[in-house]
Amino acid sequence: MREQYSSYNECVEFFNEAQKSRPNLFKVQTIGKTWEDRDIVAVSITKDVDTNKDKPALFYTGTIHAREWIGIELSLSFAKYILEHIDYDPQLNAILDRTTLYMVPCANPDGFEYSRKHFSFWRKNRRKNADGSFGVDLNRNFEIGFTPNKDTTSNVYSGPFAFSEPETAALRDFVIEHKNITIALDYHSQGNVFFPAHNFIHEDAEDAIDLNLLAGNMAEEVRKESGREYGVHMGKPPVHLISGSGREFYYSLGALSLVAEVGTRNISDYKEHMSENIDENIPALMFALGEANNYEKDDSIPRVGNFIATSVTSREVELSWEYIDDESLYYEIYRSDKKKGYAQTSNRIGMTKLKTFTDKNLPASTNYYYYLRAVCKRRYIKSAFAQMCAVRTNPADNMFSKILYPAADKIGYVGEKTKKNTEHFGNNSVFVGISEKKGECYGVCGFSLSTIPENAVITSACISFYPMNRVAVQIESFGEWRVGQIDERGIDKIDSFDEIKNAKILSYIDRPTSSPQLAQGVWRKYKFANQEIEVLQKSLKRREACFRMEGPTSLPLSRASQMMQWDIGYGKFSGGLSYRPKLDISYTINEAKIDLKSSSEITVSKEAIDESKLKVGYDNNGNQEYGYMEFDLSNLPEMDNTVISDAYIDIEANKVNALNELRFHIEMIIPCEGEKSYEKIKDREIIERIGYDVSVSDIKDSSKHRFVFDKHAIGEMLKNADQTSKAVFVISASSQKSFCKSQDVSWCDTKRVKRPSLVINYIKKRRVAPECVENLRHSISDGIIKLEWDIPNDDGYQGAIVIKNPFRVPCSPYDGQKLYGGMDNYTYDNYGDKNIHKYYAVFSYDDVPNFSKAQFIEINQ
């Protein structure tokens, strides 16, 4: 296996040969010497390579940890790809015309060779320490966040001082000298995840959106190539963030900086795994190289500002933004259903020169994340991304939605070999899978359904979990994770391993997630199918639902762990409410029905107005005869708390005196002023046609027919009901022939027993948001920002949601970090930095939910 990997000398020889064969494309230079006197090599790759500093650049580093061989192998493969494609690939040529690729294929030559020849899992370099031990962890030896460590035998020994090592000093000097570097990628193994650089506080930096989207776009390129899903995970400071890494140093110099953790082992089987990991990362590298030009430091176009949703309905989202006026500019809008999504051609939903865009025909009760950037068509350069705009479409007219969270004592895990399963609930994380230390482990998550009406009819549901770590728990490309609803009635102790393992499964939810699709840092959603919704529906009567997450129950050969770690949203190791598992349910309730009989039926002909008939067609002279119907709407329920889900007219033909070429349709009209006349009806003002035409042949097949209102017609009917307390309709006929006479259909019997009916189905549902909270204020309590507000005097008020956004006033209850949701009148920003500028917004909500306008404050202006 190891002979398939290149040695360091073979790597250097390859790049020297590339320079000889393509001197205008490759340039090799020595940027330093190691402790064992090996050259540290950097390679420049671009068209007309002597001009490399004149172009924006991507800086690639590999194998800074000796045992992580993917870095050096991927650099070689990417260079070979360039050599093989440069003569005919237009995309590659266009990229290298505008950008430079700098590569340090192996940042730790001594350690790498020691790993190859002596100790495979060697991680550090080969410095001889004063106590006779060897090695410094080079990725802890940079100056940003450098933390002294006296344990020289530790795998993460950071060295005597920052940049004490020749390898890190060489990287430092190279990056400082090459100020054209705009993107830096540091390749490691293992985990299949991108780690964007961090600013070491719990507040997003302005370019966090660009870091996440660069990672998300690279992950999408991997997915398109191999189907594997890479995670995107920035980490949760200040706990467990690495210090003194190259990633943060490059970021401190202004480069978008990522660590790429590739594969599931440090030194994997080359043919079976490593070659695939390499192949899937080449398109991702190509994408990143193509982005370097958009982040040129001195000549970029500015980021778009104030990107917000100005209107959100159940079907549409209206977006707007602010920017400079320039005829050479236009805008690209992208939509994702993931918070850490991507922005590519496949999810670009619009391009416009305007500063507004409406996204239409969306499903209701769905979260969306919008991305925006400006494009200069003259210079073929794009801006950095505007700050993400996050919204949730409203519930459909006859629907409610509810997002439920587990209580702390209902979320945790049980382990086969762990002895403190009780302490796993509401604390730390959920571990699911198997390891030699913990044995089999199952996640448990229980939800109270008490806030959903017992008569609710569930229409859709989704349960979501946040995978927070697959690196430390060492997941191979093996096994799958799935979620099932269990029968909580058979469980006495939720922290009993045996009871949870042997619990009765009522239904598994959605498809299992295989290891290659288990992406760290990206929400994993399990959507309920109809059969699974039926099981959840029965749980409403019990007022609770409990779910078990399970993973593999056996280990791959020679591996000690196959475990996934999930965030629970509680405890000091979690990310808080934003990362808590959630059960998203949409539902309706049983409809009420109003069946209104027509209050009058009139035949309007040229000869007369007949109030005893409803005859429609053509008279003996070929003039039309119209049917006129009125319905009294004065007894409709109060509309502020009522939603009409459906409306239709049922009508039955009493007598048919017509041939098959006649067709009949119904129109809702503006009521006539004054007395009715043939001319007024003929020249009627039509509001909307109702339903579809019916023909005489249809009537002969069935005398009863239904004309169904569309949404617009329902709205217009209600508008007229407010003004006149009635709805007026006209039935008219049309014929395929140019002249028709003495043909008609009667639509009501003489005794008015079978009169037309206007049927309205409705549910009780608030249409108006509750009042805003009042007197929003903040203070500092024990070094933490405390927010307080006054609860409005509104019967519909069901609570408040608190959102934080560092860049603008949150435009929706989803547009930022969620800090709180509930009935209290205060909360704390437990993770935030009290000295950073930011906005806090509080949205009142009811049981629909309808949300009030934001009450907000700005702090640290």
Side-chain angles (χ1 to χ4, degrees):
M1 178 188 74
R2 298 187 183 190
E3 296 305 316
Q4 299 167 67
Y5 288 88
S6 301
S7 68
Y8 185 67
N9 285 340
E10 288 169 339
C11 169
V12 174
E13 288 174 8
F14 168 82
F15 282 108
N16 284 332
E17 287 299 316
Q19 179 178 240
K20 289 179 183 178
S21 64
R22 293 279 187 165
N24 198 45
L25 189 63
F26 281 76
K27 180 179 180 181
V28 182
Q29 64 185 111
T30 299
I31 61 173
K33 289 278 190 178
T34 68
W35 290 107
E36 295 178 352
D37 203 35
R38 290 185 175 88
D39 289 339
I40 304 169
V41 169
V43 183
S44 302
I45 306 174
T46 190
K47 295 283 197 69
D48 192 11
V49 72
D50 289 336
T51 65
N52 66 84
K53 290 186 179 181
D54 299 333
K55 306 174 186 179
L58 184 150
F59 181 52
Y60 174 108
T61 52
T63 314
I64 197 167
H65 287 147
R67 64 195 180 199
E68 299 173 16
W69 295 6
I70 180 64
I72 189 170
E73 287 297 326
L74 180 56
S75 71
L76 288 166
S77 294
F78 192 40
K80 291 173 184 175
Y81 177 90
I82 292 172
L83 286 169
E84 292 168 0
H85 289 76
I86 194 63
D87 290 331
Y88 62 87
D89 186 333
Q91 180 190 17
L92 177 62
N93 277 272
I95 289 174
L96 291 179
D97 280 336
R98 297 191 298 268
T99 58
T100 296
L101 171 63
Y102 295 126
M103 303 181 83
V104 177
C106 182
N108 184 2
D110 294 350
F112 171 65
E113 283 300 311
Y114 189 77
S115 173
R116 286 184 67 246
K117 296 175 181 177
H118 301 288
F119 176 31
S120 297
F121 285 167
W122 185 256
R123 173 184 167 98
K124 299 183 287 184
N125 72 350
R126 293 298 294 166
R127 161 195 275 270
K128 187 173 182 180
N129 298 311
D131 61 359
S133 65
F134 281 88
V136 167
D137 182 347
L138 297 177
N139 208 40
R140 302 295 186 275
N141 189 241
F142 292 80
E143 70 177 356
I144 303 300
F146 176 81
T147 303
N149 177 359
K150 295 182 180 180
D151 184 3
T152 59
T153 62
S154 168
N155 259 340
V156 292
Y157 172 55
S158 55
F161 53 86
F163 295 121
S164 62
E165 305 311 291
E167 297 90 346
T168 54
L171 294 172
R172 174 199 61 196
D173 295 344
F174 184 87
V175 174
I176 290 174
E177 180 185 352
H178 294 79
K179 300 185 184 303
N180 56 324
I181 294 172
T182 63
I183 294 176
L185 302 177
D186 189 17
Y187 275 83
H188 291 248
S189 59
Q190 50 163 323
N192 296 334
V193 59
F194 293 101
F195 289 120
H198 214 292
N199 58 6
F200 291 98
I201 58 175
H202 256 297
E203 308 286 355
D204 283 340
E206 185 181 36
D207 57 6
I209 180 66
D210 303 288
L211 287 164
N212 280 325
L213 279 174
L214 175 61
N217 281 319
M218 293 179 72
E220 175 62 7
E221 292 297 315
V222 172
R223 189 200 63 79
K224 288 188 291 188
E225 178 71 19
S226 66
R228 184 174 287 107
E229 296 188 29
Y230 270 51
V232 180
H233 195 53
M234 192 172 281
K236 301 182 183 68
V239 179
H240 297 313
L241 276 182
I242 67 170
S243 54
S245 78
R247 175 186 61 185
E248 270 67 46
F249 176 69
Y250 308 141
Y251 180 60
S252 74
L253 298 178
L256 295 181
S257 183
L258 307 177
V259 160
E261 295 276 2
V262 178
T264 58
R265 290 196 183 192
N266 291 322
I267 309 169
S268 58
D269 183 293
Y270 194 97
K271 287 186 177 181
E272 186 173 358
H273 298 298
M274 182 66 81
S275 59
E276 181 182 358
N277 294 147
I278 289 170
D279 289 345
E280 68 191 8
N281 272 279
I282 286 176
L285 269 170
M286 278 285 290
F287 185 94
L289 185 58
E291 279 290 306
N293 188 51
N294 295 323
Y295 292 93
E296 188 174 4
K297 297 171 186 175
D298 299 326
D299 198 24
S300 61
I301 59 177
R303 190 187 307 272
V304 179
N306 201 31
F307 179 41
I308 61 171
T310 53
S311 174
V312 179
T313 70
S314 62
R315 299 276 288 166
E316 295 185 356
V317 175
E318 184 179 297
L319 304 164
S320 71
W321 54 91
E322 297 173 358
Y323 206 57
I324 56 178
D325 292 323
D326 188 329
E327 281 300 313
S328 69
L329 296 174
Y330 66 94
Y331 307 95
E332 295 179 339
I333 306 101
Y334 304 85
R335 180 185 67 216
S336 174
D337 60 358
K338 295 180 179 179
K339 190 172 184 178
K340 295 178 185 174
Y342 56 89
Q344 297 194 9
T345 304
S346 59
N347 71 323
R348 187 177 63 204
I349 58 171
M351 293 187 291
T352 181
K353 290 182 70 66
L354 304 175
K355 295 174 187 175
T356 61
F357 181 82
T358 301
D359 191 14
K360 302 178 180 179
N361 303 314
L362 299 169
S365 298
T366 304
N367 290 68
Y368 288 111
Y369 305 91
Y370 291 96
Y371 311 117
L372 174 75
R373 70 195 316 188
V375 183
C376 180
K377 58 185 180 182
R378 175 173 49 83
R379 296 172 54 200
Y380 197 71
I381 190 172
K382 300 182 180 183
S383 73
F385 284 92
Q387 299 304 329
M388 179 177 67
C389 178
V391 302
R392 180 180 174 93
T393 50
N394 296 339
D397 286 349
N398 63 336
M399 303 296 292
F400 300 78
S401 71
K402 190 79 69 175
I403 298 177
L404 305 175
Y405 299 92
D409 61 351
K410 296 291 186 179
I411 174 70
Y413 80 98
V414 292
E416 179 184 16
K417 298 180 179 179
T418 57
K419 297 181 179 179
K420 298 181 179 180
N421 284 331
T422 301
E423 298 178 8
H424 297 163
F425 284 76
N427 183 45
N428 200 349
S429 309
V430 166
F431 291 89
V432 180
I434 186 171
S435 71
E436 291 181 351
K437 182 179 179 180
K438 295 177 182 289
E440 293 180 36
C441 292
Y442 297 90
V444 187
C445 190
F447 296 90
S448 169
L449 304 180
S450 60
T451 58
I452 298 179
E454 288 189 60
N455 65 337
V457 178
I458 299 174
T459 57
S460 66
C462 175
I463 189 169
S464 305
F465 298 89
Y466 187 80
M468 67 182 295
N469 195 337
R470 66 169 286 155
V471 178
V473 289
Q474 302 174 347
I475 293 180
E476 291 285 344
S477 298
F478 168 85
E480 59 186 24
W481 282 254
R482 58 182 178 175
V483 176
Q485 185 173 351
I486 58 178
D487 191 343
E488 75 285 348
R489 292 168 294 184
I491 299 172
D492 292 326
K493 294 183 61 180
I494 197 171
D495 58 358
S496 166
F497 172 81
D498 290 332
E499 288 191 35
I500 295 300
K501 178 179 179 178
N502 298 317
K504 179 182 178 181
I505 293 288
L506 300 175
S507 176
Y508 282 107
I509 312 302
D510 208 337
R511 298 178 178 178
T513 303
S514 63
S515 176
Q517 278 68 56
L518 198 57
Q520 177 175 335
V522 178
W523 280 94
R524 175 55 56 180
K525 298 179 181 179
Y526 296 87
K527 296 182 179 180
F528 289 61
N530 286 341
Q531 181 179 345
E532 294 147 16
I533 288 175
E534 291 175 5
V535 174
L536 184 61
Q537 181 76 50
K538 294 176 181 177
S539 303
L540 279 181
K541 296 180 180 179
R542 306 194 301 270
R543 315 306 285 149
E544 62 179 316
C546 191
F547 298 86
R548 183 183 77 189
M549 180 179 288
E550 58 191 70
T553 56
S554 62
L555 288 168
L557 187 65
S558 75
R559 298 299 279 179
S561 178
Q562 186 74 354
M563 190 86 70
M564 189 64 205
Q565 184 179 359
W566 308 76
D567 205 327
I568 68 169
Y570 293 100
K572 64 179 181 180
F573 297 107
S574 84
L577 178 59
S578 295
Y579 300 93
R580 195 167 297 167
K582 50 182 177 279
L583 179 61
D584 189 343
I585 296 177
S586 291
Y587 64 93
T588 187
I589 56 177
N590 293 324
E591 296 175 333
K593 178 189 285 188
I594 300 175
D595 191 340
L596 301 172
K597 297 296 183 182
S598 53
S599 55
S600 66
E601 311 87 31
I602 302 172
T603 300
V604 181
S605 67
K606 198 164 188 179
E607 299 300 325
I609 305 292
D610 190 341
E611 298 187 359
S612 65
K613 297 179 182 179
L614 190 62
K615 187 174 71 170
V616 182
Y618 294 88
D619 65 14
N620 294 335
N621 297 316
N623 299 309
Q624 278 198 294
E625 296 176 311
Y626 299 97
Y628 181 95
M629 303 180 293
E630 283 190 5
F631 294 89
D632 182 3
L633 302 181
S634 59
N635 291 322
L636 286 182
E638 190 269 316
M639 282 294 113
D640 280 349
N641 294 302
T642 304
V643 170
I644 293 178
S645 52
D646 298 293
Y648 53 88
I649 292 175
D650 275 343
I651 192 167
E652 183 174 354
N654 181 57
K655 184 178 180 181
V656 178
N657 177 34
L659 300 176
N660 288 346
E661 64 264 16
L662 235 59
R663 302 187 67 84
F664 299 87
H665 59 269
I666 297 179
E667 298 158 343
M668 180 166 51
I669 68 167
I670 298 293
C672 300
E673 294 185 5
E675 292 186 2
K676 301 173 186 65
S677 70
Y678 184 78
E679 292 301 322
K680 287 180 180 179
I681 298 302
K682 181 181 177 182
D683 298 329
R684 63 199 177 276
E685 186 176 347
I686 301 170
I687 298 173
E688 180 68 288
R689 182 173 287 197
I690 308 301
Y692 296 97
D693 298 354
V694 295
S695 66
V696 172
S697 61
D698 294 331
I699 296 169
K700 289 177 178 178
D701 288 340
S702 173
S703 60
K704 295 181 179 180
H705 289 276
R706 178 168 290 173
F707 294 80
V708 180
F709 288 58
D710 61 19
K711 295 297 182 185
H712 173 70
I714 291 175
E716 291 298 310
M717 179 179 66
L718 293 177
K719 188 187 301 182
N720 279 286
D722 288 339
Q723 298 169 357
T724 65
S725 297
K726 63 182 178 180
V728 179
F729 302 87
V730 164
I731 312 174
S732 59
S734 60
S735 174
Q736 297 178 25
K737 294 182 178 181
S738 58
F739 184 75
C740 186
K741 64 180 181 178
S742 301
Q743 295 190 57
D744 53 63
V745 171
S746 294
W747 294 95
C748 185
D749 63 294
T750 56
K751 294 183 178 180
R752 299 184 72 222
V753 174
K754 297 180 179 179
R755 285 180 289 164
S757 294
L758 172 59
V759 180
I760 298 173
N761 294 325
Y762 69 93
I763 61 172
K764 301 303 292 182
K765 175 183 174 183
R766 283 177 58 97
R767 297 161 59 90
V768 181
E771 294 293 325
C772 302
V773 303
E774 299 173 347
N775 192 24
L776 177 60
R777 55 205 181 271
H778 85 284
S779 59
I780 305 298
S781 176
D782 295 327
I784 299 173
I785 294 175
K786 181 180 182 181
L787 301 168
E788 297 177 274
W789 56 90
D790 296 337
I791 294 174
N793 183 19
D794 189 315
D795 292 340
Y797 180 86
Q798 293 291 309
I801 286 178
V802 182
I803 300 294
K804 175 175 70 172
N805 192 313
F807 311 109
R808 59 167 184 268
V809 177
C811 63
S812 82
Y814 307 90
D815 189 34
Q817 181 183 355
K818 183 176 180 180
L819 300 180
Y820 173 78
M823 288 289 289
D824 292 333
N825 67 338
Y826 71 94
T827 192
Y828 295 89
D829 185 1
N830 292 316
Y831 298 94
D833 189 316
K834 66 180 185 296
N835 299 313
I836 298 296
H837 170 264
K838 68 200 82 173
Y839 299 89
Y840 294 99
V842 182
F843 298 84
S844 299
Y845 63 86
D846 58 18
D847 64 352
V848 174
N850 297 301
F851 291 99
S852 71
K853 292 182 179 180
Q855 286 284 12
F856 70 91
I857 56 173
E858 180 181 10
I859 71 167
N860 300 320
Q861 300 181 38

